[in-house]
Amino acid sequence: MAYSVKSKKSAKTYYLHTKEVELAGGRKQRIYYFAGKAEKNALDELPAGYEVMENSRTGLPMLRKKKK
């Protein structure tokens, strides 16, 4: 089952996804994003060292690295 969070502002459910992207210099980087539907690249759990926060203005969930 895909990892999901419910927005406190809009009460919508969002699912965590990931994909590899290639940057302009040719370097590859993994990105994480939330979407309204669980697709094939959805993650089952939160990546280690990250936490979910909600944008107070838009209500959209975002990942950020945990503070030490």
Side-chain angles (χ1 to χ4, degrees), residues 14-48:
Y14 295 95
Y15 300 92
L16 181 61
H17 294 75
T18 186
K19 73 175 169 178
E20 288 277 331
V21 295
E22 189 171 333
L23 302 177
R27 186 174 69 106
K28 292 187 179 185
Q29 184 172 344
R30 178 175 301 271
I31 63 166
Y32 299 100
Y33 62 97
F34 285 91
K37 293 183 181 179
E39 302 291 337
K40 66 177 182 175
N41 53 352
L43 295 177
D44 291 335
E45 59 185 34
L46 200 57

Side-chain angles (χ1 to χ4, degrees):
M1 178 123 197
Y3 181 83
S4 64
V5 293
K6 191 171 187 176
S7 172
K8 294 173 188 153
K9 186 171 183 170
S10 66
K12 291 183 182 177
T13 301
Y14 295 95
Y15 300 92
L16 181 61
H17 294 75
T18 186
K19 73 175 169 178
E20 288 277 331
V21 295
E22 189 171 333
L23 302 177
R27 186 174 69 106
K28 292 187 179 185
Q29 184 172 344
R30 178 175 301 271
I31 63 166
Y32 299 100
Y33 62 97
F34 285 91
K37 293 183 181 179
E39 302 291 337
K40 66 177 182 175
N41 53 352
L43 295 177
D44 291 335
E45 59 185 34
L46 200 57
Y50 286 87
E51 64 185 358
V52 178
M53 64 170 286
E54 186 173 308
N55 182 308
S56 59
R57 187 174 56 84
T58 63
L60 294 175
M62 298 181 285
L63 277 188
R64 69 175 173 194
K65 289 188 177 181
K66 288 183 180 176
K67 297 179 181 178
K68 294 184 180 187

